[in-house]
Amino acid sequence: MENPSHADPSQPPSRMERLIDAARDGDADALGELLGNYRRYLVFLARTGLHHHMQGKADPSDIAQEVCLAAHGNIADFRGESAEEFAGWLRGILTNTMAMHVRKYLGTAKRDPRLEQQLNQSMASATGFLQSQLAGDVTSPSQNFARNEAFLQLAGALEGLPEDYRRVIVLRHVEGLPFAEVARTMGRTVDSVEKLWVRALAKLKSSMSDE
């Protein structure tokens, strides 16, 4: 099987693209490394996606593991070439996996298109927040590779934050809630939430600097 062509044939493939090519050619080690790069991103998305439906009723890490297992079994179905396309493919698997868990929790086998739409919107908001934190235009393949790496590092840094830090960032930036609503949701005063938010962003910035 020949490797797929890349978006810019004049440029050598990035490390992520090489892993994708190898994984599609049946290299289990390459696929394992590739999924390892995305694991904490998947955990972050699962955590934010399950927040409204079954918080505390499912482990986001277990959900991410299910997605990785499904990806192992269905890598031949992936038709993309880039890291962005691979991430999108994983998000599709994640949506289906989370929807299955939510339906099971609610005690219904009936498929509700609105549920998938809500989960997709939640993941789009979470992904949009990650992208918004990476300033600068991408004008070259090397910059695109660096941005992809930073994107995954940021997701990992968020997952590594203390729970209250991560939650205040998600409520404020992913869900877009005003501080008064964040305070009500977290059972805190507005003043304490604002101070928590400042500390959380500082910790996130520090974590990224340590990567």
Side-chain angles (χ1 to χ4, degrees), residues 19-169:
L19 287 173
I20 290 172
D21 287 350
R24 291 181 59 181
D25 282 343
D27 187 330
D29 290 338
L31 180 57
E33 182 179 347
L34 188 62
L35 291 172
N37 289 329
Y38 283 90
R39 180 175 175 80
R40 298 187 85 179
Y41 169 60
L42 292 171
V43 174
F44 175 66
L45 292 185
R47 192 183 306 280
T48 56
L50 293 172
H51 171 71
H52 292 294
H53 299 281
M54 47 189 301
Q55 186 177 15
K57 303 298 182 181
D59 187 340
S61 184
D62 290 343
I63 299 289
Q65 181 63 21
E66 288 186 42
V67 173
C68 290
L69 290 173
H72 265 285
N74 296 279
I75 185 62
D77 296 335
F78 176 60
R79 295 290 182 264
E81 301 173 6
S82 68
E84 292 88 347
E85 289 170 319
F86 188 74
W89 182 64
L90 290 177
R91 286 196 299 272
I93 298 175
L94 179 58
T95 296
N96 293 335
T97 302
M98 289 195 298
M100 178 188 68
H101 278 273
V102 173
R103 287 196 297 268
K104 182 178 179 181
Y105 173 68
L106 296 177
T108 177
K110 184 178 180 181
R111 183 176 181 273
D112 184 354
R114 292 173 300 178
L115 174 59
E116 280 84 354
Q117 184 179 24
Q118 290 170 356
L119 291 171
N120 277 325
Q121 288 175 343
S122 176
M123 285 191 287
S125 295
T127 299
F129 165 67
L130 294 174
Q131 292 172 336
S132 72
Q133 300 305 296
L134 304 176
D137 296 328
V138 175
T139 59
S140 70
S142 62
Q143 288 177 325
N144 187 52
F145 170 70
R147 188 178 178 87
N148 287 333
E149 291 283 297
F151 179 85
L152 296 177
Q153 287 174 0
L154 178 58
L158 276 163
E159 269 304 298
L161 291 177
E163 171 61 26
D164 56 347
Y165 281 12
R166 181 173 57 243
R167 193 176 184 203
V168 74
I169 289 175

